[in-house]
Amino acid sequence: MDNTQALQLFDKKLILLNVKANKSEELLRFLAKELYQLGYVKDTFSDALIAREQLYPTGLPTAEIGVAIPHADAEHVIKPVIAVANLAKPVLFKEIGNGQRDVAVQMVFMMAIEGPKKHLDLLQKFMSIFSNAQVLKDLKAANTVDDILGILLNQFT
Amino acid sequence: MKRIIVACGSGVATSQTVAYKVDALCKQRGIRASVEAVDIKSLDAYLKNCDLYISITPSSGKKYQVPVISGIPFLTGVGLEAAMDEVAKVIQGSKTK
């Protein structure tokens, strides 16, 4: 697949390192604000994101690290982007598909997507990283924005 | 043809991703079934006409008339073989519609 297409799904300003938060809601509001300030989402995104996370939690206990894939409905999105946050210390999310168990999340991939149909190929490739322990380990260990972007883009080639 | 449906709360490609994976694994194992990602809002209509429901949403405690398994192993790869064994068991054991 063409890398330039995948490149458009990310923004270096939205690959955030050493993000500190105590609670998932605090973290989600912080990330939503970043997306809003860069013009990717409407001002309704933040509340929609948090409401959805309560209804359909997105903590994903992968083989290597806990991740979360928070998102809101397409109507709150202006321009698609996937924001990446590498957390300074784990933040608890509820588990996807379960809602009871806690997942200690170390990386967050916040997806602002206009409609899955439009980006299905890209999203499927992107989501395949969650079953790739080595890639997640590399992402978690990466110290620079360029390293993270490089690892992510590699998944699309 | 046996029919498997996958639903998630998101509509942001989670169910599509899982459906794609299940479809590929079914082909690998020679399990003949159609796999389809459906909108959670129209889930009830689809449930009337399928053999297996792969769920990626928290259980509402609702009882379904078809077997239900978790779609999470198809996202994370953790417990994938066991989940596919379950799919095989259900599909090969269910009556063709």
Side-chain angles (χ1 to χ4, degrees):
Chain A
M1 185 179 291
D2 192 352
N3 243 352
T4 51
Q5 235 186 319
L7 192 57
Q8 287 168 8
L9 269 186
F10 302 100
D11 180 333
K12 281 191 182 185
K13 292 194 199 82
L14 290 173
I15 295 176
L16 306 164
L17 301 168
N18 204 28
V19 174
K20 294 185 182 78
N22 291 313
K23 291 234 156 55
S24 61
E25 182 170 337
E26 175 193 349
L27 177 63
L28 293 177
R29 289 216 184 271
F30 166 74
L31 293 175
K33 198 172 155 196
E34 298 287 312
L35 266 73
Y36 174 67
Q37 282 170 349
L38 289 167
Y40 286 101
V41 298
K42 299 176 188 165
D43 57 0
T44 53
F45 181 81
S46 185
D47 284 343
L49 184 76
I50 285 163
R52 177 170 279 282
E53 188 66 29
Q54 273 164 6
L55 199 56
Y56 302 114
T58 67
L60 199 55
T62 74
E64 195 60 41
I65 62 169
V67 304
I69 48 170
H71 46 266
D73 283 329
E75 63 191 88
H76 308 286
V77 175
I78 296 168
K79 205 161 60 155
V81 72
I82 299 175
V84 182
N86 209 336
L87 305 185
K89 61 181 172 60
V91 171
L92 293 182
F93 278 70
K94 292 292 178 198
E95 185 178 326
I96 189 172
N98 170 290
Q100 305 295 322
R101 285 192 292 269
D102 286 323
V103 180
V105 167
Q106 300 183 59
M107 286 199 85
V108 174
F109 301 89
M110 183 178 277
M111 301 194 285
I113 302 295
E114 291 168 302
K117 297 258 149 54
K118 219 166 156 182
H119 311 284
L120 197 52
D121 282 357
L122 287 173
L123 286 175
Q124 273 170 358
K125 283 227 164 72
F126 171 70
M127 288 218 191
S128 71
I129 69 171
F130 302 128
S131 57
N132 191 331
Q134 189 58 48
V135 169
L136 285 177
K137 221 165 129 177
D138 291 347
L139 281 172
K140 181 67 204 155
N143 291 320
T144 70
V145 169
D146 284 323
D147 283 353
I148 289 183
L149 188 60
I151 295 166
L152 287 170
L153 290 180
N154 254 335
Q155 306 314 307
F156 294 93
T157 48
Chain B
M1 187 74 141
K2 305 289 171 61
R3 196 162 180 223
I4 300 171
I5 59 166
V6 184
C8 63
S10 73
V12 186
T14 316
S15 55
Q16 285 90 344
T17 304
V18 169
Y20 180 81
K21 195 79 175 274
V22 173
D23 187 48
L25 289 168
C26 279
K27 288 199 173 94
Q28 242 176 50
R29 286 201 180 199
I31 300 168
R32 290 196 52 207
S34 71
V35 188
E36 206 180 331
V38 306
D39 187 344
I40 191 99
K41 291 179 194 97
S42 41
L43 180 63
D44 285 344
Y46 284 102
L47 279 171
K48 291 193 183 95
N49 190 20
C50 76
D51 299 278
L52 172 65
Y53 166 37
I54 297 179
S55 167
I56 323 168
T57 60
S59 163
S60 54
K62 208 167 141 186
K63 289 265 181 284
Y64 296 107
Q65 59 270 53
V66 297
V68 182
I69 67 168
S70 165
I72 314 305
F74 301 101
L75 275 180
T76 63
V78 181
L80 187 61
E81 283 303 308
M84 268 318 283
D85 288 348
E86 195 64 29
V87 170
K89 209 172 89 190
V90 170
I91 293 304
Q92 279 149 6
S94 75
K95 289 188 195 111
T96 309
K97 288 192 174 158

